[in-house]
Amino acid sequence: MKNCKNPRYNMKVAFEEKHDWTFHLYKCSSRVENYRRITVLTEVDTFSLFSLTVIEARKIAKSINVLPHYICEVLKYDELPY
């Protein structure tokens, strides 16, 4: 998290900064075990795009999330857990 020295930090400027993003695509499926319905997320693909703003990355994720049975997760490249 970036610490701001300026109390009037402009969020519009922060959203327009370029970052590297990783997109994870998951396929949603369901199965029945012990008479219970379980939703399973299976990773289909992972790809990275570089030098995008937050707004551009969200537009890409939103266009993928419109597809039935697919979910897109967006992570900043420097905040990856691995």
Side-chain angles (χ1 to χ4, degrees):
M1 193 83 186
K2 187 186 274 187
N3 291 333
C4 302
K5 295 178 182 175
N6 185 0
R8 295 178 182 233
Y9 185 68
N10 191 349
M11 288 303 291
K12 184 176 181 183
V13 173
F15 278 118
E16 292 176 352
E17 291 177 0
K18 303 272 184 178
H19 297 284
D20 302 336
W21 301 94
T22 301
F23 297 84
H24 296 274
L25 292 175
Y26 297 98
K27 182 175 182 178
C28 294
S29 58
S30 61
R31 65 177 186 221
V32 177
E33 284 185 11
N34 297 330
Y35 303 104
R36 292 184 182 161
R37 186 176 177 172
I38 299 173
T39 303
V40 179
L41 294 177
T42 308
E43 188 168 355
V44 177
D45 194 14
T46 300
F47 62 94
S48 297
L49 294 175
F50 304 101
S51 187
L52 291 177
T53 64
V54 174
I55 297 167
E56 292 169 338
R58 288 306 307 153
K59 283 182 183 178
I60 293 169
K62 191 181 279 188
S63 67
I64 294 171
N65 286 337
V66 171
L67 300 172
H69 305 294
Y70 287 96
I71 294 175
C72 182
E73 179 185 29
V74 182
L75 296 173
K76 266 178 73 175
Y77 196 73
D78 57 349
E79 297 177 355
L80 292 177
Y82 44 86

